[in-house]
Amino acid sequence: MWSKLALFVIKNRRILILLLAALTVFMGWQARKVEMTYDFAQVVSPDDPDMVYFQQFKRTFGEDGNVFVLGMQDSSVYKLGNFNELRALTDTLGKVEGVSGVLSVTRLPYLEKDTATGTFRALPIFRRAPQSQVELDSLMRVVNAQEFYKGQLISPTTGATLLALTLDPKFLNSSKREGVMREILGHAERFQQKTSIKMHYAGLPYVRTTMTTKVASEMKLFVGLTVVMMAITLFMFFRTWSAVVFPLLIVLVVVVWCVGSMVLLGYKINLLTGLIPSIIIVIGIPNCTYLLSRYHYDYRKSGNQVLAMARVVRKIGLVTLMNNTTTAIGFVVFCFTNIAILYQFGMVATINIFVAFAVSFIMMPIVFTYLPPPTPKQLQHLEAKPLTKLLEFFNYLVLERRQTVYIAAAVLLVLASFGVSKVRSVSYMVDDLPKDSSVNSDLKFFEQHFNGVMPLEMVVDTGKKKGILKLKNLEKIDRLEKFLRTQPELTTPVSIVTFLKASTQAFYNGNPEYYRLPDNSEKNYVLSYLARSQSANGGGSGQMMQKLLRSFTDSTGQRARISLKIADIGSRNLDTLLARKIQPEIKQIFNGTGMDVKLTGTTILFTKGNEYLIGMLKESLLIAFGLVGLVVLLLFRSIRAVFFTLLPNFFTLLLTGGIMGYFGIPLKPSTALIFSIALGIDGDNSIHLLAKFRQEMAINGQRVQAAISTTLSEAGTSMIYTSIVLFLGFSVFAFSEFGGTKALGLLMSASLLITNFSNLILLPALLVTFEHGKDETIDQSSIRHYDDEYHEEDDDFELNLNRMQVQPRNPVA
């Protein structure tokens, strides 16, 4: 098959190159349509009960993660000039397309009792811009008397002030969001320049926009850095620009296909799929490196370009395909999940790994049979003395110091196991952003002054229509809210209870001492005022009252919403807060009442999603082990071969996990996916070495030590080259601003260093110890697929080189 394929590719070079060019143009045309995703990645199954409930919550009460906050801590904001600038900023932001509401000190409404009509009217405290400092100070006393806003807009302890902007969901989940955010930030920057008051920004819309922008910029950065790194590496190996330009051209063609395939599949670029182009370059270059080094080796023997390249395709075609298949397994396991972001990542990567294989096996023979033959200087890399000395040292360890190898491996396993025991699973809402980023520093500002800005929601279900208006039920909710206010990680809750307290205060002409729930004698009066206020003519005031009530209760009056914000305290601390503090208090307060309290919101789903995602990735790793073992079993028809392949890779992954523990790298979605990818990539080397060893066993008459020595000297070179390429390629991700991407680069690089020990020392040592030489029957049919040297030149008649009018050259060596 591979002989016929080699003949077909070389005979039809022009047609194939034109077809490939046409397809690349088509994929490039598709690639230009690629978009960034603006949705928050849902990592919880749509069928999960908590996700179903959250979707119901949003349909009833609206979005919880669409608030963008701007904050400042400067007492000069309450000087007349600066305050009027703040008022102008608030009015300007309210007119930005995509902003559906602005809550600011300058446009705070307050409730005023109208005895004549028996209603409450929502009136602005600042009906016009203050004309003097005295007037401003007087109005601020009114603001401070509104207990409903305490801790919401002005910090009672530090005096910090914030503006809360509600964004239209239609803009949040589309490309328009970036324009809205730029306009908002532009107005805020101009306010800062005019007043010299530093502004801080937070909220999920801001975090998501910042991350989306960074993903787009890093995608371009990584592609550029990877290309430069691979160019330097290729030139160091081959010392010729043709060996640099054309392999890079091949992988860039695959990158075009990669982005185009995202569009054709209907996917958008997110934090994970944005890494795929760079990963494809890193994975694709070893294909080219392997082909090129084998081509140089065979050309040195034959002196004929076409013959040498045909032998390369025939000899290493299947083993390279299997190596790519093993690499793809590290990604395809993500397709077994029902998590969209993982499925898309796995699907796009898997498809394009095979595209990279196909394009390289078409373009490499075509390009390098058209180019002039390699010169003796360009073939010098085949005799790299430092590499030869290193492999000779490995051979010495394997044959003469196996006991030392096993002791070293045992010690490393013990140390790694201790390190793995120190790994902790924890994640944060802004986990992937660097600690010194403006997003994190601003988030700390809001946590310091307002206890946090991440949304947390509770829904109290009374079980009966209009049950929420019963005083005993309101008192239970009030008791829960008093407890929530004692938790330093939480902001002051807002609910129907706080609104009724504000109504009672308004009923008593704004006296702060009456900011409480109405008693039995007051309740009917207050509720009747509220009822008439919603239906009162007068437009804006009645609509505002109705909107406020609807945001706190459902249409039946059966369920009430308690809305608050929480600091980004991490998944472990959040679990502790919910399970050990809030849930027991809820149980104590509502036990036996028939009322049900559920916690929901983006923060809850994010935390659960991370736990769910880590669990799925652990399952994916087991599936990856199973698939790699199955591939090995099908290829070698030997359970022992499966053992020899998986054990060194288990060793590599355990050491990688140990590194995580010792360096304090937490287990989270971005680090958990590393293990499946590393298994797929590291498994290539195991299969490659084992295949070469089986072939050498046949050639050397089942003499294990002779086969190992030859295997290390010949297969070891390409394995080290491949590891160097992959190590340098993945190290590029260490320059990322995202913590998860940086961890991916560092841990993958560490894994690739470790795999040289496990596959070039530990695996050969195991083969010498457990292989029985002549006692084992070798399946010649499977060996022949992996033959790097076994076929002699007499077999080349299948290629029918005369029909291609190839002029033979004299051998170089």
Side-chain angles (χ1 to χ4, degrees), residues 346-358:
M347 180 62 68
V348 174
T350 300
I351 290 172
N352 287 283
I353 285 170
F354 288 110
V355 169
F357 167 79

Side-chain angles (χ1 to χ4, degrees), residues 6 19 51 90 106 145 155 159 161 218 271 285 310-311 414 437 442 452 465 517 539 606 669 687 742 750:
L19 178 62
M51 175 58 77
T90 302
T106 65
S155 171
T161 306
E218 285 201 352
L271 186 59
I285 286 293
R311 285 178 178 172
V414 171
S437 72
D442 283 353
K465 290 184 178 181
L517 284 174
F606 175 83
I687 292 176
K742 183 177 292 187

